[in-house]
Amino acid sequence: MEHLINSQVKNIQISGIRQFFNMVAQFPDAIQLTIGQPDFPTPEHIKDAGKEAISLNKTGYTKNAGLDELCLAATNFVHTKYNLDYNPKTEVITTIGASQGIDIAFRTILEEGSEVILPGPVYPAYEPIIKMCGGIPIYADTRDTGFKITAKQIESLLTDKTRCVMLPYPSNPTGCILTEAELAEIAAVLEDRQIFVISDEIYSELVYGQKHCSIAVFQGMKEKTIIINGLSKSHSMTGWRIGFVFAPENITKHMLKVHQYNVSCASAISQWAAVQALTEGIDDALPMRAEYEKRRDYVYERLLAMGIEVVKPEGAFYLFPSIEKFGLSSNEFATRLLQEGKVACVPGSAFSTYGEGYLRLSYAYSMEILEEGCNRFEKFIQSL
């Protein structure tokens, strides 16, 4: 029966991140630097809120868009943190993680032949969803612009088929951000055009030395922007699966239909825990961010001392060093690093063809693990 499977689905590959993560299981003595998951436990007060929800039998369906209390907490959070104003009753949807938010956003706005401009290298989950919607990913090569998509690049790629521009910043895999000035230039290009923007801001609370800025704060941009966010990275709640989409009502009301028939609603237990996270835990990310910054500085300096070229990340918890000088493909390098050096990192090719020649290293691990990982990495490159 396989010949009857949707051809768009058959042509999709399992994420390169997961492929490599699965391979690592064969090397139990390897240092694992692959997965972008906080190593901090979910804060106790959030776990307690989840337990209380169970004890009080708050385990039924919620409204499709989520609990009223959570929608209010979410809109208050982005207002307080990023100066974004959304109506909690009509302009936010609680999703099953940011991933489902991305899915319903693309499925709502894309049609057959719609073009989506996105930076390369980039998180690998966007392209498959775009293609399953009949859309066409159009990559901007950001390797010579510090891994940042520019207004000039976007303008050069616009066609009459452009339906959306994807802005995933802070970036997975590079850790780069777009500054307020850089976003202002992009907004100037898009302000008067009938083009959606999907802004994936899941790492918004993990920006170092400055405040996160959203494209939606600029004149004329909120009306066309869908913001993706969630609690996985900010509150170390990956398994709770709580995300959000924020958009004007005339967009959200259509995404809500897709969401309704897709999942009905997010877990009620997780939603009650999320209310606690976004209210009493509004600044829970701050101590985690401080620790990530220390880890970033340590690994960045170690890589520079090894003679490795790498852009210093300003957000998230990844470094994306170049391994081009070693003359191996990123997959060959990562495989040998795992087999011979006993360190697991993700080959850059997992993040589109524009990631070839690079390696993604996650520093969402303890300093002890990072020190040993760097020691092994250095020993491995000395053997090449």
Side-chain angles (χ1 to χ4, degrees):
M1 299 296 289
E2 188 178 0
H3 66 286
L4 299 177
I5 296 293
N6 184 321
S7 60
Q8 295 280 21
V9 175
K10 282 202 293 185
N11 291 333
I12 288 172
Q13 301 297 315
I14 297 297
S15 161
I17 301 173
R18 285 291 168 178
Q19 287 183 32
F20 212 79
F21 178 76
N22 294 339
M23 187 191 306
V24 175
Q26 303 170 35
F27 298 87
D29 56 342
I31 292 290
Q32 169 76 265
L33 303 177
T34 58
I35 295 297
Q37 174 167 256
D39 66 322
F40 300 98
T42 302
E44 288 298 322
H45 69 103
I46 299 174
K47 292 191 287 187
D48 288 342
K51 295 172 189 176
E52 182 180 41
I54 296 171
S55 297
L56 296 178
N57 295 315
K58 295 181 177 181
T59 56
Y61 292 124
T62 70
K63 291 181 178 180
N64 296 129
L67 295 166
D68 289 341
E69 294 89 341
L70 181 54
C71 291
L72 178 61
T75 53
N76 284 343
F77 184 89
V78 296
H79 172 75
T80 301
K81 294 284 188 175
Y82 317 124
N83 199 30
L84 294 166
D85 292 310
Y86 291 98
N87 187 325
K89 295 181 179 179
T90 59
E91 297 185 323
V92 58
I93 300 172
T94 305
T95 59
I96 301 181
S99 296
Q100 196 231 341
I102 294 164
D103 180 64
I104 66 170
F106 277 134
R107 288 208 280 161
T108 299
I109 67 172
L110 298 184
E111 296 178 302
E112 196 72 32
S114 297
E115 293 180 352
V116 179
I117 297 172
L118 64 168
V122 74
Y123 178 57
Y126 306 129
E127 181 177 319
I129 299 173
I130 293 168
K131 289 182 174 179
M132 282 192 286
C133 294
I136 303 168
I138 305 295
Y139 283 98
D141 185 351
T142 66
R143 290 172 295 183
D144 293 328
T145 55
F147 298 124
K148 301 184 179 193
I149 196 168
T150 67
K152 185 176 181 181
Q153 287 175 324
I154 291 171
E155 193 164 25
S156 71
L157 295 172
L158 293 174
T159 72
D160 58 0
K161 294 181 180 179
T162 304
R163 182 65 60 89
C164 176
V165 174
M166 185 82 212
L167 296 179
Y169 294 97
S171 165
N172 174 6
T174 68
C176 291
I177 68 168
L178 292 181
T179 65
E180 184 175 347
E182 291 162 341
L183 286 167
E185 292 178 358
I186 293 172
V189 169
L190 298 176
E191 178 184 353
D192 296 325
R193 289 184 161 92
Q194 296 294 299
I195 296 172
F196 290 103
V197 174
I198 296 181
S199 185
D200 186 348
E201 303 180 18
I202 189 66
Y203 294 97
S204 59
E205 281 295 275
L206 303 181
V207 174
Y208 309 116
Q210 56 191 295
K211 285 194 70 174
H212 170 74
C213 183
S214 173
I215 188 76
V217 301
F218 295 91
Q219 181 178 336
M221 294 308 298
K222 179 183 175 183
E223 293 79 4
K224 62 188 68 182
T225 299
I226 300 169
I227 293 176
I228 310 292
N229 214 316
L231 301 182
S232 290
K233 316 300 182 180
S234 62
H235 290 75
S236 196
M237 292 177 67
T238 51
W240 296 81
R241 308 311 301 135
I242 292 291
F244 303 100
V245 291
F246 301 90
E249 182 180 359
N250 64 345
I251 302 173
T252 303
K253 68 181 182 181
H254 297 295
M255 288 194 291
L256 186 59
K257 291 182 286 187
V258 179
H259 171 76
Q260 174 188 359
Y261 292 117
N262 181 226
V263 298
S264 185
C265 65
S267 159
I269 298 161
S270 294
Q271 287 191 57
W272 284 113
V275 173
Q276 177 73 12
L278 293 176
T279 53
E280 298 303 316
I282 190 170
D283 289 326
D284 278 353
L286 299 185
M288 291 186 269
R289 183 174 70 197
E291 182 60 28
Y292 289 137
E293 189 169 8
K294 292 178 186 176
R295 297 173 184 182
R296 176 203 64 175
D297 291 346
Y298 172 78
V299 180
Y300 175 73
E301 293 298 333
R302 285 292 305 269
L303 290 173
L304 290 184
M306 296 178 208
I308 301 293
E309 293 183 16
V310 60
V311 173
K312 189 174 187 178
E314 297 172 289
F317 36 58
Y318 309 104
L319 288 131
F320 204 60
S322 171
I323 45 91
E324 190 174 12
K325 70 178 185 179
F326 297 105
L328 300 171
S329 71
S330 61
N331 192 66
E332 290 171 328
F333 185 96
T335 300
R336 287 188 58 183
L337 175 62
L338 175 61
Q339 294 174 341
E340 301 169 26
K342 298 298 187 290
V343 179
C345 298
V346 182
S349 56
F351 304 94
S352 83
T353 56
Y354 298 97
E356 184 53 69
Y358 296 88
L359 201 67
R360 192 193 76 172
L361 184 159
S362 169
Y363 52 89
Y365 295 88
S366 71
M367 191 65 80
E368 181 182 10
I369 291 174
L370 293 174
E371 289 175 0
E372 178 61 22
C374 286
N375 291 341
R376 294 185 186 188
F377 187 92
E378 184 171 20
K379 184 177 180 180
F380 171 74
I381 64 173
Q382 288 172 349
S383 71
L384 294 178

